[in-house]
Amino acid sequence: MASRRQFLAASALLGAAGIGLLNTARVWASSKEDRDRLSPVDVLNMMKDGNERFRRGLRVNRDFLREQRERAAGQFPVAVILSCIDSRAPAELIMDLGIGDVFNVRVAGNVANPDILGSIEFACHVAGAKVALVLGHSSCGAIAGAIDGVELGHLTGLLSRIQPAVADTSYEGARRSSDAVFVERVARTNIERTIGVIRKESAILRELERKGTIAIAGAMYDLKAATVSFLPPHED
């Protein structure tokens, strides 16, 4: 793949900066065999390394048309990412991923409902993705709306899925959407609650995680710092 040479060049720059990167086979799963050789930990590390490249302005110079042509006949995504619809937090870009690398499920406030659970089950159980990542972000409008008790058409029902996270978040300051720290803490609680919903309501995903076939993980994207911070792993 031509873009492999481009990645090696970026790897050399990052290596000089003291950043550990995975080998190129772990950056693109261009075949089912490539993807199946990866562990969930490999995939999480790929995401972390990709965000480090993005944050440092060292993203791989991808040939997206080439990727599109190569993957038109089939897909072997390494992960499924449940993220918010916020235009400033496109998952593939902030983790330097290419076409066909991940399934991307987007909904305001990165909440889970039956349709989204079914999509994640397809991604992991049918298509073979190794990670189900719930990705929240700072300054989330859906989180702010849930804090304020906004009611507007179908948005009312969506925000009702976030409001338990508001109640579950301990905070000594002003529990208002104008308090950025409170908004971020609720966003983190919401990620944890969404992960809990996935584990509780999907026996398929729960069993895949129990077997070690997949990892169900959470992460928070800081819009200002461009940093993806992964939540501590789940422990039984």
Side-chain angles (χ1 to χ4, degrees), residues 13-71:
L13 289 172
L14 287 167
I19 300 169
L21 289 177
L22 300 177
N23 60 45
T24 55
R26 293 180 179 178
V27 174
W28 295 285
S30 58
S31 70
K32 183 178 184 298
E33 291 71 25
D34 284 344
R35 195 271 313 285
D36 291 349
R37 279 194 291 267
L38 301 176
S39 71
V41 172
D42 290 334
V43 175
L44 288 168
N45 284 335
M46 181 190 77
M47 293 176 174
K48 293 173 184 178
D49 291 339
N51 176 246
E52 188 67 18
R53 293 194 300 273
F54 172 78
R55 189 179 68 81
R56 290 175 174 262
L58 295 171
R59 292 180 61 231
V60 174
N61 184 20
R62 297 178 180 277
D63 184 342
F64 285 109
L65 285 177
R66 184 184 183 94
E67 289 184 1
Q68 174 269 319
R69 290 192 296 267
E70 290 177 343
R71 299 186 179 189

Side-chain angles (χ1 to χ4, degrees), residues 115-154:
D115 294 332
I116 287 171
L117 290 173
S119 297
I120 298 174
E121 288 172 347
F122 169 81
C124 295
H125 183 71
V126 179
K130 300 298 185 73
V131 169
L133 180 70
V134 180
L135 178 64
H137 66 92
S138 61
S139 303
C140 180
I143 298 295
I147 292 171
D148 290 342
V150 170
E151 295 185 359
L152 177 67
H154 293 291

Side-chain angles (χ1 to χ4, degrees), residues 116-223:
I116 287 171
L117 290 173
S119 297
I120 298 174
E121 288 172 347
F122 169 81
C124 295
H125 183 71
V126 179
K130 300 298 185 73
V131 169
L133 180 70
V134 180
L135 178 64
H137 66 92
S138 61
S139 303
C140 180
I143 298 295
I147 292 171
D148 290 342
V150 170
E151 295 185 359
L152 177 67
H154 293 291
L155 182 60
T156 305
L158 189 154
L159 296 182
S160 71
R161 294 182 178 276
I162 301 173
Q163 284 163 351
V166 179
D168 287 353
T169 300
S170 298
Y171 189 61
E172 298 299 325
R175 298 176 64 88
R176 297 191 296 268
S177 64
S178 57
D179 188 323
V181 175
F182 182 54
V183 172
E184 179 156 347
R185 291 192 183 180
V186 174
R188 288 180 178 272
T189 303
N190 185 56
I191 293 168
E192 294 167 353
R193 284 189 57 86
T194 299
I195 291 172
V197 168
I198 292 170
R199 291 190 175 120
K200 179 181 178 182
E201 298 189 9
S202 174
I204 291 172
L205 297 172
R206 187 168 63 245
E207 180 64 10
L208 288 174
E209 184 181 42
R210 186 191 68 79
K211 291 179 178 179
T213 305
I214 69 168
I216 302 173
M220 185 81 173
Y221 177 58
D222 187 312
L223 293 176

Side-chain angles (χ1 to χ4, degrees), residues 80-86 89-92 94-95 103-112 116 120 133-137 140 190-191 194 219 221:
V80 53
I81 303 173
L82 169 55
S83 61
C84 182
I85 64 170
D86 194 289
E92 287 96 339
I94 65 176
M95 288 187 280
F103 290 105
N104 199 343
V105 183
R106 301 190 72 170
V107 62
N110 42 272
V111 297
I116 287 171
I120 298 174
L133 180 70
V134 180
L135 178 64
H137 66 92
C140 180
N190 185 56
I191 293 168
T194 299
Y221 177 58

